[in-house]
Amino acid sequence: MKLLLVVACALVDADRRVLLAERPAGKQLAGLWEFPGGKLEAGERPEACLIRELHEELGITTWESCLAPLTFASHAYEDFHLLMPLYVCRKYDGIPRGQEGQRLKWVRPKDMRDYPMPPADLPLIAPLIDLL
Ligand code: C5P
């Protein structure tokens, strides 16, 4: 089965809320709320991938020293196996805005069950509740 590598981020604000982004219409799993991030390019380090994706998707700038690995998801979708490390980021420049018009929400981890999320993202909630 194909292996897909995606890097995801829990952006944390001063109230210990985490940013979720709605997957845009037209994409797979459209309308579900996910941790921002994206696909690792060939030869790219996960931290560099996340810095690039956060800039492309949310218009913010962060730095490798501000990214702390927390856990990772490993989920077998029907046509690929997704391996997705989750980093925590508490320091960045700019105000997150969906660069492709996607809706954003700051959510307390304990309230995340109210937001439909891709199945791969669900096991990431418990470690965030423990952390925050
Ligand atoms: O975001 P993108 O469409 O590039 O991600 C590729 C696939 O990885 C998605 O179709 C989805 O199945 C999975 N994914 C996920 N959770 C995320 C990001 C991506 O399950 N937070």
Side-chain angles (χ1 to χ4, degrees), residues 52-75:
R52 176 180 57 73
E53 289 283 354
L54 292 175
H55 193 256
E56 287 172 9
E57 284 185 11
L58 303 176
I60 61 169
T61 301
T62 190
W63 305 271
E64 189 155 339
S65 60
C66 301
L67 297 173
L70 178 64
T71 183
F72 59 87
S74 175
H75 186 83

Side-chain angles (χ1 to χ4, degrees), residues 72-83:
F72 59 87
S74 175
H75 186 83
Y77 282 106
E78 208 164 291
D79 43 351
F80 59 90
H81 177 188
L82 177 72
L83 187 63

Side-chain angles (χ1 to χ4, degrees), residues 3 5 14-15 17 19 22 28 32 34 41 45 48 51 58 66 70 76 81 86 97 111 116 119 122-123 125 127:
L3 175 67
L5 297 169
D15 296 327
R17 297 176 306 176
L19 192 74
E22 192 179 25
Q28 214 183 350
L32 299 187
E34 68 177 13
E41 291 180 354
R45 298 183 60 245
I51 290 167
L58 303 176
C66 301
L70 178 64
H81 177 188
L86 180 75
R97 290 206 178 85
D111 297 330
L122 293 175
I125 297 174

Side-chain angles (χ1 to χ4, degrees), residues 4 6 8 23 27-29 34-35 37-39 77 80 82 84 118-121:
L4 184 66
V6 168
R23 291 183 62 84
K27 265 193 159 186
Q28 214 183 350
L29 307 174
E34 68 177 13
F35 298 103
K39 287 190 196 103
Y77 282 106
F80 59 90
L82 177 72
M84 182 168 68
D121 296 53

